[in-house]
Amino acid sequence: MESGTLLLRVFLALLPLLAIGAWWIVLSHESRELAERDLVTSLEKLRQAQQELASNERLAAIGQITATVSHELRNPLGTMVTSTDILRRSLKNADEPVTGELQRLQRNAWRCVRIIEDLLDFSRKHAPVMSPVAIDRWVKQQLSEEDQEIAHLITLKLDAGCDVLADAERLRQAFSNVLQNAAQACEERGKQSGQIIISTQRLRDRVYLSVSDNGGGMSQDVADRVFEPLFSTKAFGVGLGMPLVKRIMEQHGGDVLIESQKGVGTTVSLVLPCAGKREP
């Protein structure tokens, strides 16, 4: 009996020590987990910083190279585009293989020109000069200058009916890049079944200029990376088109929204501040 009482007293005496020990073990475990989480977070930030540094170094190198060779490339490419257009007009009655090859030559020459323009624009930072732009009328004007290869694919639904605050030339660059992407997606699908819908709508103090295509669409992984400089899934281009679009829209105080479904198509919306004025 006395031994049992003694054991009970010993146990009660040691109980606070046991509780403190258990608390210390739990605290140590939680501290270790917290330290591990902090380490993982720090490593992730370091990885992102390294990627950004590498990307900036590549962009700087691209800018230097582009500035050096752009003049030498743009002149012959411009000559190719002009000469091909003259040949197309001169050979209106030529057989389809001839006209088709001329169109392909001109189209690819323009692609090279746009690649150079994207490289130059991305390596320089232009401050936008804002003014009211009647967006519905502006879209029609841009499309009147497009090649018939693209124009015949387009359906218009222009319902914004107001001005936007924009740098018209910078906005043209963004819109042209998005439209060319849509046209290329339709080209991959096939000229006969390709379709592009260009729409505008006003929602409160924002205007949405949307370009929708029924091309191949993008997977979610690709859609998540389209604004990443130098990322591209195309056989041509350097992956600066959409990053440039995003930069331009951010300079306008706007945004770029993308909805895409693999095998269905893609909608890219350029979001702009409304100037609060109805188009006449």
Side-chain angles (χ1 to χ4, degrees):
M1 186 70 176
E2 290 181 1
S3 61
T5 302
L6 179 61
L7 289 174
L8 178 60
R9 289 178 178 176
V10 171
F11 174 75
L12 292 175
L14 292 176
L15 186 59
L17 295 176
L18 292 173
I20 293 172
W23 174 80
W24 181 259
I25 292 172
V26 171
L27 183 61
S28 299
H29 181 70
E30 290 180 349
S31 298
R32 186 170 63 254
E33 287 185 342
L34 181 60
E36 289 174 352
R37 286 197 297 269
D38 288 342
L39 178 60
V40 170
T41 301
S42 299
L43 290 174
E44 179 63 22
K45 289 181 179 179
L46 177 61
R47 186 185 65 81
Q48 291 176 355
Q50 288 174 334
Q51 289 179 340
E52 290 177 3
L53 178 61
S55 178
N56 289 335
E57 288 177 347
R58 283 179 291 174
L59 290 175
I62 287 173
Q64 292 175 354
I65 294 171
T66 303
T68 303
V69 304
S70 62
H71 179 73
E72 299 300 327
L73 288 177
R74 292 176 80 173
N75 284 344
L77 284 171
T79 302
M80 288 175 59
V81 170
T82 303
S83 298
T84 306
D85 189 53
I86 293 172
L87 288 173
R88 285 179 57 189
R89 295 179 183 181
S90 302
L91 300 173
K92 288 183 178 179
N93 298 323
D95 295 334
E96 174 58 31
V98 175
T99 58
E101 289 301 315
L102 287 173
Q103 289 173 356
R104 186 169 67 170
L105 176 61
Q106 189 176 46
R107 187 164 60 250
N108 281 281
W110 272 118
R111 284 176 177 172
C112 293
V113 171
R114 290 191 183 95
I115 289 172
I116 294 173
E117 289 178 346
D118 285 348
L119 287 166
L120 286 171
D121 288 334
F122 203 85
S123 61
R124 302 169 182 168
K125 291 187 177 181
H126 305 276
V129 180
M130 302 295 197
S131 62
V133 175
I135 190 63
D136 292 346
R137 188 164 64 245
W138 181 86
V139 170
K140 291 179 181 177
Q141 180 183 354
Q142 302 309 306
L143 295 178
S144 68
E145 301 171 4
E146 286 294 336
D147 192 282
Q148 285 301 312
E149 289 291 310
I150 296 178
H152 82 279
L153 301 173
I154 295 173
T155 300
L156 294 179
K157 296 181 179 179
L158 306 179
D159 300 316
C162 65
D163 292 354
V164 297
L165 290 174
D167 181 322
E169 177 57 26
R170 299 291 285 164
L171 181 58
R172 182 200 64 78
Q173 291 177 299
F175 178 67
S176 178
N177 273 339
V178 173
L179 183 57
Q180 288 298 322
N181 286 344
Q184 289 161 16
C186 289
E187 184 179 313
E188 294 169 1
R189 182 184 182 94
K191 294 182 179 180
Q192 300 303 320
S193 57
Q195 184 181 23
I196 299 173
I197 298 175
I198 298 176
S199 62
T200 60
Q201 61 174 327
R202 178 179 179 176
L203 297 175
R204 296 176 182 166
D205 62 342
R206 297 287 181 181
V207 170
Y208 292 73
L209 168 55
S210 301
V211 179
S212 302
D213 67 71
N214 64 344
M218 296 179 285
S219 65
Q220 189 59 50
D221 290 341
V222 173
D224 289 341
R225 298 186 65 189
V226 293
F227 298 124
E228 181 182 319
L230 306 180
F231 172 77
S232 178
T233 60
K234 300 176 182 177
F236 52 88
V238 291
L240 291 178
M242 289 307 294
L244 180 61
V245 170
K246 186 173 181 63
R247 175 189 287 181
I248 292 172
M249 299 315 298
E250 288 177 347
Q251 289 175 335
H252 282 72
D255 200 359
V256 187
L257 305 177
I258 295 180
E259 296 179 9
S260 188
Q261 187 174 347
K262 190 70 174 177
V264 177
T266 301
T267 296
V268 179
S269 297
L270 306 180
V271 186
L272 293 157
C274 182
K277 177 183 176 183
R278 303 292 299 182
E279 285 191 19

